[in-house]
Amino acid sequence: MIFLALLYFCLASGAIWLALFPNGRAFVARGLFALRQRLSQRALGWQVAGSRYAGNVRDGMPGDPRGNLVRFVRRHRIACAIGVPAVLIPSLLALALSSPAMLPVYEGGSAMPDAQVAALLQGERLVPPVALPPSVFSTVEVTLVRPTLVNASRNWGLLHPDYSQRLLLAFKIMKEKHGYEMALLEGYRSPARQDELASAGSHVTNARAFQSWHQYGLAADCAFWRDGKLVISEKDPWAMRGYQLYGEVAESLGLTWGGRWKMMDFGHTELRMRGVMQR
């Protein structure tokens, strides 16, 4: 995306320069003429041809370059006032929209844990916790934060084995080291459900079908289980502290944590595997 923005900037600048300024067209014509001379006299050697070309360019552009630029802008104030924004604004918009935080689900790469994490993952195969009753996902407190959660999939078997083991290990560390019991809110997400959530607006998700790691079983949304209730909202100081710890643990296991995005998603983690999601 950045490359395309830069390419657009160069092409647009050149087109405006040629269209609005006769001096620009004359300069290009002189350059083309000099290039043709170089090619036709190639037998005389590159050094001679280069000297002639340099002489042609010097003849066409006398004086101090900075002074020429200032005089040029002064003579063409109106054209510059129109042309410069026309080139810069689309380019800056393209660069802004290419920010990973705007569409984090498109990012590629592969998460590679360190040797210690790899050893942990090769050890005991962790098993998912006992499923919570469906009623806990439809309480007033939960639906205020996640109104569509009741229809979400919490089937651990639909998650990619590499991701599910890392997520279960994160659950284990959070409980044994930090005293937080974790709960899976949503794992695999069908393409139809992804489109449904995207249609609700950007405050829910920017990703449509197959633009989210959820569709590949490589992402999950999680929260905390305290005193027989789900605690999701980060407005709870205890939960917010838990999300920060969860992010640290998840990243130490090679996962990407949504809490670092511009549109922060504290309970979201994903395992980005190269070659799985196509841009």
Side-chain angles (χ1 to χ4, degrees), residues 146 148-155 185-189 193:
R146 298 284 292 270
T148 63
L149 194 59
V150 66
N151 297 320
S153 170
R154 287 171 282 275
N155 185 346
L185 301 181
E186 181 169 13
Y188 169 79
R189 186 182 293 160
R193 176 171 169 78

Side-chain angles (χ1 to χ4, degrees), residues 126-150:
L126 301 174
V127 297
V130 176
L132 297 175
S135 58
V136 304
F137 299 96
S138 58
T139 63
V140 175
E141 296 84 359
V142 171
T143 54
L144 284 174
V145 182
R146 298 284 292 270
T148 63
L149 194 59
V150 66

Side-chain angles (χ1 to χ4, degrees), residues 150-168:
V150 66
N151 297 320
S153 170
R154 287 171 282 275
N155 185 346
W156 285 86
L158 297 179
L159 295 178
H160 191 287
D162 288 349
Y163 174 66
S164 65
Q165 283 300 301
R166 297 184 198 215
L167 188 59
L168 288 169

Side-chain angles (χ1 to χ4, degrees), residues 1-63:
M1 190 70 173
I2 295 177
F3 172 77
L4 292 177
L6 293 175
L7 180 61
Y8 168 82
F9 177 84
C10 294
L11 293 176
S13 298
I16 291 174
W17 183 46
L18 293 175
L20 297 180
F21 306 118
N23 290 340
R25 293 193 293 271
F27 176 75
V28 172
R30 286 195 298 271
L32 293 175
F33 178 74
L35 179 60
R36 187 175 62 180
Q37 281 189 324
R38 289 183 63 189
L39 294 176
S40 64
Q41 298 177 4
R42 185 169 49 185
L44 298 178
W46 290 106
Q47 184 175 1
V48 175
S51 299
R52 291 182 178 178
Y53 175 70
N56 288 336
V57 173
R58 284 196 299 272
D59 292 340
M61 299 183 64

